[in-house]
Amino acid sequence: MQRQNSLPYDQSAAAEWSAIVLATPEPCRAALDRLMTRDGEKLAHYFYEHMLSHPQASVFLSAEAVHQRLHQSMTRWLREIFRHPMDDTAGIVAHQRLVGEVHARIQLPVHLVSRGARLLKHHLHLSLAGEFSDAQLCAQASTYANGLIDLALELMSVSYERNSQREARTDEAYRLFAIGQNVGVERERQRAVLMEWTNEVMLALHRAGPAPLPALRKSEFGMWFHHKAIAMFEGDSEVEHIVDIIERIDNVILPLLRPRDGAAGEIDRVGDLQDEVDNLKFLLATLFERNQEAENGRDALTRLFSRRFLPAVISREINVSQKRKSSFALMLIDLDHFKRVNDTHGHDAGDLVLQQASSLLLSSVRNGDFVFRYGGEELLVMLVEVTQESALRIAELIRSKFETSPFSLSQGRSVSVTASIGLALFDGHPDHQYLVKRADAAMYEAKQSGRNRVVLAP
């Protein structure tokens, strides 16, 4: 539907692009083409040098990303829009829309792109002054450059707006879905893990040795709260209070509690800890009680997260990782020879295998992790707050479980199923599709190289 709606605009934009080109004298177009062929890399360097100098740019861009990928992309873009003769106007228009989609996915502010375009046009005008001895031709070349850059920016902005609106709708749908989970079950689960953490701290206080006390932020409860609950209860005032309590416990109370420190005020500090935990429980209960139970948005067969929420979840995790300087990983899992299960035992048997595979994954990951039905026999896991070593360890554990666990069918039958796993760690790239594609490529390599293995994306 979106593609059909965009066709008239694309055709109009292509006609406008052609009109700008045809209205410009051939010497001016040829001069811009020569300039980009000769100085395109310098102009791209100038663009990103000034872009990176903006304080907001560091959230979306890094010097490494610019050096490895974006500098070359910008050079190609400049040479593309000023190519002479211009023989694929429709393709150029489509490319500007694609660039706008990428900007929307990474939530790159429009004002940063506009600022870069403004500085680029200024630099181009200075460069063109040295290309012409005729002032009129120089002015026409500047008008030509302005027109194409402005139209390219307009095309990007239209695509940016459309995709941003779609992302916002998906993000809101995910939030509503998250709110609608089984509140009673989730409430009891989180009360239990919070109690486990409290008991762990109390036991650590009575053990000998200088080992630090377990941080609430790094506990099962802490990871669930920061990676799931904040999305579930976004906008509720209790969320900020709980964040403050977690930080106060980890940064103020726990550092004063040391195993066997023998300090006179130790009992008072334990009391302070219990008071904060009680406050946390009260705020959490308030959040749960405010939200109604309405289970929807799960995959009908596996009861895992629906794939439609994947962009919203990954985008949130990218923001969390950038703020907290942490990392996460995607694990894309394909059940080996799944078609053989369906062909040999029937589709009902295949459904049973998928349901058991989903249960296996859910029992193998932590509270803060996410498990999705990605499509067909493909499942996707997002592991939060992991290093490369710990992600590989979890992926290998899951692969081993698939290999050694019989999958039950009807009438007492069972079948063996292995899994090919592609693992990709977040490397700072702000586009969530880029990370999914890396995991997908790694999974494909695992299948091509013999199946039943884990492959780490480069």
Side-chain angles (χ1 to χ4, degrees), residues 257-277:
L257 285 169
R258 288 290 183 271
R260 297 186 180 277
D261 62 4
E266 180 179 346
I267 295 177
D268 291 337
R269 291 195 292 270
V270 170
D272 291 341
L273 175 61
Q274 191 59 58
D275 288 343
E276 293 291 9
V277 171

Side-chain angles (χ1 to χ4, degrees), residues 54-183:
H54 194 282
Q56 276 189 271
S58 61
V59 177
F60 307 93
L61 302 171
S62 67
E64 182 181 6
V66 168
H67 175 73
Q68 292 184 351
R69 294 183 298 271
L70 301 179
H71 184 277
Q72 291 181 350
S73 297
M74 182 66 181
T75 303
R76 287 195 299 269
W77 179 78
L78 287 168
R79 290 172 178 169
E80 176 191 58
I81 67 171
F82 291 112
R83 183 175 291 121
H84 176 69
M86 195 169 290
D87 54 4
D88 185 18
T89 306
I92 291 175
V93 167
H95 187 212
Q96 309 318 304
R97 288 171 53 79
L98 178 62
V99 172
E101 290 179 13
V102 173
H103 289 172
R105 285 203 299 270
I106 67 176
Q107 298 178 337
L108 181 66
V110 173
H111 72 84
L112 282 181
V113 180
S114 299
R115 178 176 184 270
R118 173 173 57 80
L119 295 172
L120 181 63
K121 288 190 291 185
H122 174 71
H123 199 67
L124 264 178
H125 297 164
L126 296 178
S127 299
L128 286 170
E131 296 291 318
F132 295 96
S133 57
D134 187 314
Q136 184 177 359
L137 283 178
C138 184
Q140 289 175 310
S142 292
T143 300
Y144 171 64
N146 284 348
L148 292 190
I149 291 176
D150 288 345
L151 182 52
L153 203 63
E154 178 186 326
L155 288 163
M156 292 178 197
S157 298
V158 170
S159 183
Y160 183 102
E161 182 179 1
R162 288 176 178 171
N163 283 271
S164 293
Q165 290 172 349
R166 187 170 65 246
E167 293 283 343
R169 288 194 298 269
T170 301
D171 191 69
E172 179 62 14
Y174 162 66
R175 194 183 76 83
L176 294 174
F177 158 68
I179 290 173
Q181 296 307 291
N182 190 317
V183 174

Side-chain angles (χ1 to χ4, degrees), residues 331 360-367 369 371 381 383 394 398:
M331 189 164 54
L360 183 152
L361 289 177
L362 289 170
S363 66
S364 302
V365 299
R366 303 157 300 172
N367 268 329
D369 300 325
V371 185
V381 178
L383 301 169
I394 295 170
I398 289 172

Side-chain angles (χ1 to χ4, degrees), residues 272-284:
D272 291 341
L273 175 61
Q274 191 59 58
D275 288 343
E276 293 291 9
V277 171
D278 289 342
N279 290 336
L280 194 156
K281 289 178 180 177
F282 174 78
L283 292 169
L284 200 62

Side-chain angles (χ1 to χ4, degrees), residues 176-411:
L176 294 174
F177 158 68
I179 290 173
Q181 296 307 291
N182 190 317
V183 174
V185 172
E186 193 62 58
R187 177 176 56 207
E188 294 307 313
R189 179 187 296 123
Q190 296 313 318
R191 286 170 69 175
V193 295
L194 186 57
M195 180 64 71
E196 288 176 7
W197 173 82
T198 306
N199 291 338
E200 188 179 352
V201 171
M202 293 299 106
L203 288 172
L205 282 172
H206 294 87
R207 285 199 300 263
L213 298 173
L216 181 55
R217 172 67 183 80
K218 294 292 185 179
S219 69
E220 288 279 307
F221 171 82
M223 286 194 292
W224 168 82
F225 182 79
H226 282 94
H227 297 279
K228 288 187 177 180
I230 288 178
M232 290 171 62
F233 305 121
E234 186 175 17
D236 288 328
S237 60
E238 289 83 2
V239 170
E240 293 185 9
H241 293 313
I242 292 176
V243 169
D244 290 341
I245 289 174
I246 293 174
E247 291 182 354
R248 192 155 56 247
I249 287 174
D250 285 345
N251 299 329
V252 178
I253 296 177
L254 291 185
L256 296 176
L257 285 169
R258 288 290 183 271
R260 297 186 180 277
D261 62 4
E266 180 179 346
I267 295 177
D268 291 337
R269 291 195 292 270
V270 170
D272 291 341
L273 175 61
Q274 191 59 58
D275 288 343
E276 293 291 9
V277 171
D278 289 342
N279 290 336
L280 194 156
K281 289 178 180 177
F282 174 78
L283 292 169
L284 200 62
T286 302
L287 285 173
F288 277 119
E289 289 169 5
R290 186 180 295 137
N291 292 278
Q292 298 177 348
E293 180 178 350
E295 192 171 33
N296 55 45
R298 284 191 181 275
D299 174 67
L301 175 65
T302 62
R303 312 306 296 159
L304 300 178
F305 271 118
S306 167
R307 176 177 175 168
R308 68 179 289 219
F309 297 124
L310 184 61
V313 173
I314 299 180
S315 295
R316 283 180 179 276
E317 193 59 32
I318 287 174
N319 290 334
V320 170
S321 295
Q322 289 170 336
K323 290 176 181 177
R324 296 184 175 275
K325 307 302 180 185
S326 59
S327 187
F328 68 98
L330 291 189
M331 189 164 54
L332 195 52
I333 302 164
D334 185 89
L335 305 187
D336 296 329
H337 302 297
F338 185 75
K339 185 177 183 297
R340 186 184 301 169
V341 175
N342 282 331
D343 291 346
T344 304
H345 303 283
H347 287 279
D348 287 345
D351 289 348
L352 285 172
V353 168
L354 279 172
Q355 288 171 338
Q356 292 171 72
S358 302
S359 297
L360 183 152
L361 289 177
L362 289 170
S363 66
S364 302
V365 299
R366 303 157 300 172
N367 268 329
D369 300 325
F370 295 78
V371 185
F372 296 83
R373 171 87 179 275
Y374 191 68
E377 67 272 23
E378 293 181 351
L379 306 170
L380 185 144
V381 178
M382 187 171 81
L383 301 169
V384 303
E385 299 196 23
V386 289
T387 62
Q388 178 174 302
E389 292 73 18
S390 60
L392 279 169
R393 186 169 59 251
I394 295 170
E396 180 57 33
L397 172 65
I398 289 172
R399 185 209 62 80
S400 176
K401 282 188 175 183
F402 271 100
E403 184 179 33
T404 58
S405 301
F407 288 78
S408 300
L409 307 180
S410 60
Q411 299 177 341

